Amino acid sequence: MTIAIGDKLPATTFKEKTADGPVEITTEQLFSGKRVVLFAVPGAFTPTCSLNHLPGYLENRDTILGKGVDDIAVISVNDWHVMGAWAQSSGGMGKIHFLADWDAGFTRAVGLDADLSAGGLGLRSKRYSMLVEDGVVKALNIEESPGQATVSGAAAMLELL
């Protein structure tokens, strides 16, 4: 079942690569008492993710934070090494969280997993964005196609804020 507006996010642990190495970040640490924009991509370094989805959030980071958002995070079913390399190459390291959902535990728990085997990617996340307040989903924008980044993009999120 897909998570819905008003639902609390499930407890899980992500990994994030930092300058000091990988660290674990729990949903409690990331969302408790905070207003957070979370967006998910099918895969780091994939064309739509790298050229259309992520850049909008990096370019609009300060504007989003200026609207009362405490943090921004991107999640993907990749390992923390890949997410760390993506953070470095995109210029996003230290600006937003690049969270590895390496075993798709969170992605499956929120019901936003996608079988992209036909495209050679296997089990991945659907492309989406959500506004989370104190661990509760306040807005959820799911793309119909993994190749689109419109309803889940930064511009759409800014309209909600």
Side-chain angles (χ1 to χ4, degrees):
M1 184 153 88
T2 303
I3 198 161
I5 294 171
D7 289 348
K8 185 159 180 63
L9 292 178
T12 196
T13 302
F14 304 105
K15 289 202 178 186
E16 180 176 27
K17 192 159 189 182
T18 68
D20 298 324
V23 296
E24 293 188 345
I25 299 176
T26 66
T27 47
E28 178 73 16
Q29 291 169 310
L30 187 61
F31 298 107
S32 183
K34 298 175 189 169
R35 190 172 188 224
V36 179
V37 168
L38 174 69
F39 67 103
V41 298
F45 291 109
T46 58
T48 302
C49 304
S50 292
L51 300 175
N52 299 330
H53 209 183
L54 176 62
Y57 282 97
L58 291 176
E59 291 164 9
N60 290 288
R61 176 187 175 269
D62 293 341
T63 303
I64 291 168
L65 295 177
K67 294 193 174 272
V69 171
D70 298 300
D71 223 336
I72 303 169
V74 59
I75 183 173
S76 184
V77 179
N78 286 113
D79 65 61
W80 54 94
H81 299 290
V82 170
M83 292 301 282
W86 197 34
Q88 285 284 8
S89 72
S90 68
M93 180 72 83
K95 295 179 181 172
I96 67 174
H97 291 282
F98 284 75
L99 303 176
D101 185 21
W102 72 95
D103 63 355
F106 177 81
T107 299
R108 285 184 295 205
V110 296
L112 290 167
D113 51 306
D115 181 358
L116 300 180
S117 297
L121 296 175
L123 176 68
R124 295 298 176 122
S125 175
K126 291 182 180 179
R127 185 182 307 280
Y128 65 88
S129 67
M130 62 174 70
L131 177 63
V132 180
E133 292 181 11
D134 196 24
V136 176
V137 178
K138 295 296 182 178
L140 178 61
N141 312 300
I142 305 169
E143 295 289 351
E144 289 188 31
S145 165
Q148 297 176 332
T150 52
V151 301
S152 64
M157 182 56 70
L158 278 167
E159 288 181 24
L160 293 171
L161 299 173

